[in-house]
Amino acid sequence: KSLILIAIMILALFLYRPFCRYLCPLGALYGGCNKISIYKYKIDKDSCISCGKCQDVCKLNIKVYESPNSLECIRCGNCIKACPQNAIKKGVFK
């Protein structure tokens, strides 16, 4: 148990939330729900210029402009704030 704790602490120096991303069963369950959730992120393809600023601020390094409802997304909203075109919307979508 101690070795697992030490390994997770060392990984935390290099990766954002390593336990939540790779080991936590609850995180896997929540991530799986991103695809079927009624609350989603949506990219306005007409406004998006694929500049990558959303990915730059994403601590999980998700290409939001390609996969806005990724299984790894924790919906922190940093990508929405960083988008210069306001192309990322959040809400209830079909």
Side-chain angles (χ1 to χ4, degrees), residues 20 24-36 71:
C20 299
C24 179
L26 189 58
L29 179 66
Y30 287 161
C33 292
N34 274 359
K35 294 289 183 189
I36 61 171
L71 297 179

Side-chain angles (χ1 to χ4, degrees), residues 5 7-8 11 15-16 28 31 37-38 55 70 74-76 84 91 93:
L5 176 64
I8 291 171
L11 280 173
L15 300 172
Y16 181 69
S37 174
I38 60 170
Q55 183 180 1
S70 167
I74 59 172
R75 310 247 169 102
C76 64
F93 303 106

Side-chain angles (χ1 to χ4, degrees), residues 53-69:
K53 290 187 180 181
C54 53
Q55 183 180 1
D56 292 341
V57 298
C58 179
K59 293 182 181 179
L60 300 172
N61 199 31
I62 297 169
K63 291 183 180 180
V64 181
Y65 55 92
E66 290 179 2
S67 180
N69 296 296

